[in-house]
């Protein structure tokens, strides 16, 4: 298998353009109701009326681009009854469509909502890190498509050395749940302060 690969996401650079999401949908031939990568629009803060009648605000916003994090302790693999959900080359987690029975346990267990059940095909489907491209020495299509280079991909040891080991930023679940192979550069609004509990998903209806 070699080194464990994973993603780096830079929330300082991401503009929320969703090019990564659309490139993935196009490359994987997904319909409008399916997506392996999501872009969350996060918002928080508000306005306060001061005693003198003036307004003060502490509003903030940022974006989070998220796909499968090919976790060190993947919940999807732990609950799969057939072993269809498995780890392959580069430590990437994917679905063996021949063994998958479409039970959906993987989709229910993943805190990142990465696996999807394709009812028409009768099996689960998910981001596999563009394993075929990686074997050819290429980057995943989402990484290649990002116009501001907010996404990166490679051996996690190298990514964490360059970008740190942070993998916690709302709406992501606590990284201790599955030990995701993800490194996050926090947005400026989240540096030095905890935004959890003060932020919400602004585009919830877009998430599939």
């Amino acid at each position: 298998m070699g080194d464990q690969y994973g993603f780096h996401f830079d929330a300082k650079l991401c503009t929320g353009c969703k090019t990564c999401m659309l490139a993935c949908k196009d490359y994987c031939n997904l319909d409008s109701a399916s997506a392996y990568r999501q872009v969350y629009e996060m918002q928080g803060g508000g306005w306060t009326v001061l005693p003198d009648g003036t307004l003060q605000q502490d509003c903030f916003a940022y974006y989070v681009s998220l796909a499968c994090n090919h976790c060190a302790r993947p919940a999807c693999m732990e609950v799969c009854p057939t072993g269809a959900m498995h780890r392959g080359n580069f430590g990437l987690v994917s679905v063996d469509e021949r063994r998958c029975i479409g039970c959906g346990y993987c989709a229910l267990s993943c805190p990142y909502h990465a696996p999807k059940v394709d009812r028409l095909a009768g099996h689960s489907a998910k981001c596999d890190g563009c394993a075929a491209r990686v074997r050819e020495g290429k980057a995943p299509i989402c990484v290649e498509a990002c116009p501001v280079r907010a996404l990166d991909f490679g051996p996690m040891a190298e990514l964490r050395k360059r970008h740190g080991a942070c993998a916690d930023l709302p709406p992501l679940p606590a990284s201790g749940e599955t030990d995701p192979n993800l490194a996050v550069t926090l947005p400026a609004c989240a540096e030095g302060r905890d935004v959890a509990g003060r932020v919400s998903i602004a585009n919830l209806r877009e998430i599939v």
Side-chain angles (χ1 to χ4, degrees), residues 22-40:
L22 294 174
C24 174
K25 287 170 72 73
D26 181 61
Y27 179 73
C28 297
N29 196 30
L30 302 179
D31 60 31
S32 60
S34 304
Y36 294 162
R37 180 169 285 279
Q38 308 279 356
V39 176
Y40 292 84

Side-chain angles (χ1 to χ4, degrees), residues 73-193:
R73 295 185 297 108
C76 58
M77 283 180 56
E78 291 177 4
V79 300
C80 180
T82 65
M85 197 68 71
H86 67 286
R87 193 186 304 279
N89 292 334
F90 310 101
L92 301 176
V93 178
S94 60
V95 184
D96 184 339
E97 298 175 358
R98 298 167 299 178
R99 300 177 67 179
C100 180
I101 58 176
C103 67
Y105 291 165
C106 57
L108 292 172
S109 67
C110 175
Y112 297 96
H113 310 292
K116 318 289 182 183
V117 180
D118 186 332
R119 295 300 181 190
L120 292 178
H123 58 72
S124 291
K126 63 180 288 296
C127 160
D128 66 354
C130 286
R133 289 176 56 87
V134 176
R135 283 195 296 270
E136 296 173 356
K138 301 176 182 177
I141 199 71
C142 57
V143 174
E144 186 174 283
C146 179
V148 296
R149 299 297 179 256
L151 288 171
D152 197 3
F153 181 84
M156 281 311 301
E158 295 180 13
L159 292 179
R160 286 173 175 149
K161 185 176 181 179
R162 293 203 306 267
H163 306 292
C166 175
D168 292 288
L169 176 67
L172 306 182
S175 59
E177 290 187 30
T178 59
D179 295 336
N181 284 297
L182 172 70
V184 175
T185 297
L186 296 176
C189 62
E191 290 182 326
R193 67 171 174 170

